């Protein structure tokens, strides 16, 4: 299987070009750019992009959709019904399977970061959008987000129940595997009962909270798991936390 990745300089957003092999139909996962390297790889491998599959609606994942459609104007653009953006041509519902160039892509619903977030499973590889990153997790404070409970369930009961060798290809920065995240992701380790929760007092989003975990984020910064005084849990950017 061919998997080519292009990552934007600013947002560190990944766009993927995927195909069963050379000289076949192919698809894109998201369109966060830059597109030019993927155009070149498509030419190199003799690929024709027939589908663009969107994990979710956030601007950093769709900013270059128009450019992709200029190159492949007949491409079908699919997204969860709650994640449709201008240019979307059809729905990709949870559990749907799409056949593209000899590959079968299955849509897994992973709400949390957004309500209609989809992970895309194909040939032992999972494109995780902004649900799970290498050593980190998605936040639940972005537009369209749902809850801490949702993203925890999506990670623990959907993604990390896949075979341990499954390759995880997130919407930002580096790949990982199910086995690696089960063992080394600090959020997952607490959820599995391997590490204790923290109890440090902090201020998050201007409000008093308990810092359960000061974890890493994909950009080299931090992501914070906090607990509010009423017992609710939240995942917020480290930049919004005062320790």
């Amino acid at each position: 299987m061919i998997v080519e990745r292009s990552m934007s300089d600013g947002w560190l957003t990944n766009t993927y070009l995927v195909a069963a092999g050379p000289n076949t139909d192919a698809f894109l996962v998201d369109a966060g750019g830059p597109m030019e390297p993927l155009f070149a790889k498509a030419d190199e491998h003799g690929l024709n992009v027939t589908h663009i599959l969107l994990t979710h609606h956030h601007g950093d994942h769709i900013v270059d959709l128009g450019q992709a459609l200029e190159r492949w104007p007949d491409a079908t653009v699919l997204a969860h019904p709650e994640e449709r953006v201008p240019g979307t041509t059809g729905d990709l519902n949870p559990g749907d399977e799409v056949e593209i160039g000899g590959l079968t892509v299955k849509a897994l619903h992973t709400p949390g970061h957004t309500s209609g977030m989809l992970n895309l499973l194909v040939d032992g590889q999972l494109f995780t959008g902004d649900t799970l990153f290498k050593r980190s997790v998605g936040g639940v404070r972005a537009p369209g987000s749902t809850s801490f409970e949702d993203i925890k369930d999506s990670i623990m009961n959907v993604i990390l129940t896949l075979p341990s060798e499954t390759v995880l290809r997130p919407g930002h920065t580096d790949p990982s595997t199910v086995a690696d995240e089960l063992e080394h992701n600090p959020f997952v380790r607490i959820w599995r009962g391997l590490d204790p929760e923290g109890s440090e007092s902090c201020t998050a989003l201007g409000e008093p909270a308990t810092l359960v975990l000061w974890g890493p984020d994909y950009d080299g910064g931090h992501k914070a798991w906090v607990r509010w005084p009423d017992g609710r849990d939240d995942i917020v950017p480290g930049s919004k936390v005062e320790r």
Side-chain angles (χ1 to χ4, degrees):
M1 189 168 79
I2 294 170
V3 180
E4 300 286 1
R5 176 178 68 144
S6 175
M7 188 174 73
S8 66
D9 290 335
W11 290 311
L12 306 179
T13 308
N14 293 327
T15 301
Y16 297 96
L17 172 67
V18 187
N23 303 309
T24 61
D25 289 341
F27 64 94
L28 296 181
V29 177
D30 289 339
M35 287 292 115
E36 289 81 3
L38 299 182
F39 294 162
K41 288 297 183 181
D43 289 340
E44 176 185 329
H45 296 301
L47 302 178
N48 176 46
V49 169
T50 61
H51 291 73
I52 302 172
L53 308 179
L54 304 179
T55 61
H56 64 300
H57 72 276
H58 288 160
D60 56 328
H61 292 261
I62 62 166
V63 65
D64 284 327
L65 179 58
Q67 190 179 356
L69 288 172
E70 287 180 8
R71 173 65 183 266
W72 295 292
D74 296 327
T76 299
V77 182
L78 301 179
H80 187 284
E82 296 180 32
E83 305 289 327
R84 291 178 68 99
V85 299
T88 305
T89 61
D91 291 337
L92 186 58
N93 292 293
D96 283 356
E97 294 186 351
V98 183
E99 302 286 338
I100 305 169
L103 293 174
T104 300
V105 186
K106 184 173 183 177
L108 306 180
H109 190 207
T110 55
H113 187 70
T114 66
S115 61
M117 174 77 67
L118 293 177
N119 279 207
L120 304 171
L121 180 63
V122 52
D123 197 24
Q125 314 228 4
L126 185 72
F127 297 87
T128 63
D130 282 2
T131 304
L132 179 64
F133 307 115
K134 182 175 183 177
R135 306 289 199 277
S136 191
V137 301
V140 290
R141 282 283 170 166
S145 62
T146 57
S147 68
F148 174 92
E149 290 75 18
D150 278 349
I151 202 164
K152 176 184 176 182
D153 181 72
S154 293
I155 292 169
M156 298 302 292
N157 297 323
V158 179
I159 298 175
L160 296 183
T161 59
L162 294 170
S164 61
E165 67 273 15
T166 303
V167 176
L168 306 177
R169 297 193 180 275
H172 295 272
T173 65
D174 296 330
S176 187
T177 65
V178 165
D180 194 64
E181 293 311 300
L182 281 169
E183 182 62 29
H184 299 295
N185 187 303
F187 295 87
V188 172
R189 288 184 62 84
I190 293 178
W191 289 334
R192 292 182 65 202
L194 300 177
D195 292 338
E197 295 184 354
S199 58
E200 177 185 343
S201 296
C202 69
T203 301
L205 303 172
E207 301 292 334
T210 299
L211 185 61
V212 179
L213 175 65
W214 183 247
D217 206 358
Y218 63 79
D219 61 0
H222 292 89
K223 192 155 285 173
W225 169 2
V226 300
R227 182 165 294 140
W228 304 112
D230 63 4
R232 291 179 300 114
D233 286 357
D234 209 341
I235 297 175
V236 302
S239 59
K240 302 298 183 181
V241 175
E242 298 176 16
R243 303 180 66 183

